Amino acid sequence: MEPGWLKNVCRRVLWPGYLLFVVFGPASAIDIYTDSEVTVQNGTAGILRCTFKSSEVVTKDTTVTWSFQSNQPDHQYSKAPYVIYYFSNGKEYPGTDEFKERLRFIGDINKKDASIQLSPALFSDNGTFFCDVKNPPDVTGTQARTELRVVLKESMPQSNTKIIIGAVCGALILLIFIAVAACFAIRVLHNRHDYEGCTTLEGVSSDALRPIKKVESSREGSRCTSPSGPLQGPVIYAQLDHSGSKNSFHKMEPVVYADIRKN
């Protein structure tokens, strides 16, 4: 076979009395995808996603291999990747004891998903995880890799979901505040309009009633000899006796009236 997946594959088949050449179509590659980096809190479950794209139908011959290489120099898996999980013919084959009880396959080969879950994630898991999938005849491809970072809770990055939820809640609160302020302003303007309307009506009514009051006052003046004006004080009548006699009760001069009014 010539190198390169684009080259045709030729095989010689011996047949009695004949030499046959069977030509197969070009072998296609398989594409594998993983997250470039995954951050997990120490002691919690971490998911390592792996999907693949193949032009061939998934069969029982499809295999999945997960490997791990530590980034800690003193770790036993720091020199080369070690197989920690293998899937073939519909069966799972756990790898080393260090991951055997903590690793679980959560993907679906039929949906071209080869993801695994690591629970709980430990600081010793810091390193690189490799995902490799073979789907014959798609066997040529580059394995994908994921850098796992196991950190403390304080070092966890802020979730984009929390940021989005906070922004949405803030926007809703702002809209509610604007709506309340608008309602209050409309109510104030409405009350001011009603007050100005009442003042105008009262002015018109008072102007319309003023001539009537003048007519009534003129009529009252014709009926009464006292001049019209502001509120007057009491009228005092005094009777003077010029005789000086004790029996002046029977001798009375004409009475003089003194009209004392308060201006």
Side-chain angles (χ1 to χ4, degrees), residues 232-240 255-262:
Q232 304 297 331
V235 178
I236 300 175
Y237 299 94
Q239 185 177 9
L240 301 179
V255 178
V256 179
Y257 297 93
D259 189 0
I260 301 174
R261 300 190 178 184
K262 184 179 180 181

Side-chain angles (χ1 to χ4, degrees), residues 15-246:
W15 196 262
Y18 297 94
L19 180 62
L20 301 178
F21 289 88
V22 181
V23 180
F24 295 92
S28 59
I30 185 170
D31 298 323
I32 307 172
Y33 309 94
T34 58
D35 297 327
S36 59
E37 183 178 286
V38 176
T39 303
V40 182
Q41 180 182 339
N42 180 47
T44 63
I47 296 177
L48 304 178
R49 304 187 185 279
C50 178
T51 58
F52 61 94
K53 183 179 180 181
S54 174
S55 60
E56 299 294 331
V57 178
V58 176
T59 64
K60 64 179 182 179
D61 297 328
T62 304
T63 62
V64 176
T65 304
W66 277 93
S67 304
F68 169 71
Q69 184 175 4
S70 176
N71 60 6
Q72 302 175 17
D74 56 345
H75 198 279
Q76 58 178 338
Y77 303 135
S78 61
K79 296 181 180 180
Y82 284 78
V83 176
I84 60 174
Y85 177 83
Y86 183 71
F87 177 88
S88 178
N89 199 20
K91 296 181 180 180
E92 301 180 48
Y93 300 91
T96 61
D97 293 338
E98 184 176 356
F99 294 95
K100 184 177 181 180
E101 301 296 333
R102 299 187 296 122
L103 194 148
R104 183 168 64 93
F105 185 77
I106 60 173
D108 188 346
I109 295 299
N110 295 323
K111 296 181 180 180
K112 300 179 180 180
D113 187 353
S115 303
I116 60 174
Q117 182 184 60
L118 189 61
S119 179
L122 306 176
F123 289 119
S124 58
D125 298 332
N126 279 289
T128 306
F129 288 79
F130 301 89
C131 178
D132 191 15
V133 181
K134 305 296 183 184
N135 185 35
D138 291 350
V139 295
T140 304
T142 304
Q143 60 184 357
R145 53 191 297 168
T146 298
E147 296 291 334
L148 178 63
R149 296 177 61 246
V150 183
V151 298
L152 295 173
K153 182 178 180 179
E154 293 77 12
S155 303
M156 287 291 294
Q158 294 292 333
S159 175
N160 293 332
T161 303
K162 295 181 179 179
I163 296 175
I164 294 174
I165 293 175
V168 171
C169 293
L172 290 176
I173 293 174
L174 181 60
L175 290 176
I176 293 173
F177 177 78
I178 293 174
V180 172
C183 293
F184 179 77
I186 293 173
R187 184 175 181 181
V188 171
L189 293 175
H190 182 71
N191 293 338
R192 182 179 297 177
H193 177 73
D194 292 344
Y195 177 77
E196 292 177 354
C198 292
T199 304
T200 305
L201 292 175
E202 290 175 356
V204 173
S205 301
S206 60
D207 293 339
L209 293 176
R210 282 175 184 174
I212 300 175
K213 292 182 178 181
K214 289 182 178 180
V215 172
E216 292 178 353
S217 61
S218 60
R219 291 178 180 178
E220 291 176 356
S222 61
R223 295 176 182 177
C224 183
T225 56
S226 62
S228 62
L231 183 63
Q232 304 297 331
V235 178
I236 300 175
Y237 299 94
Q239 185 177 9
L240 301 179
D241 186 1
H242 300 282
S243 61
S245 173
K246 295 182 180 180

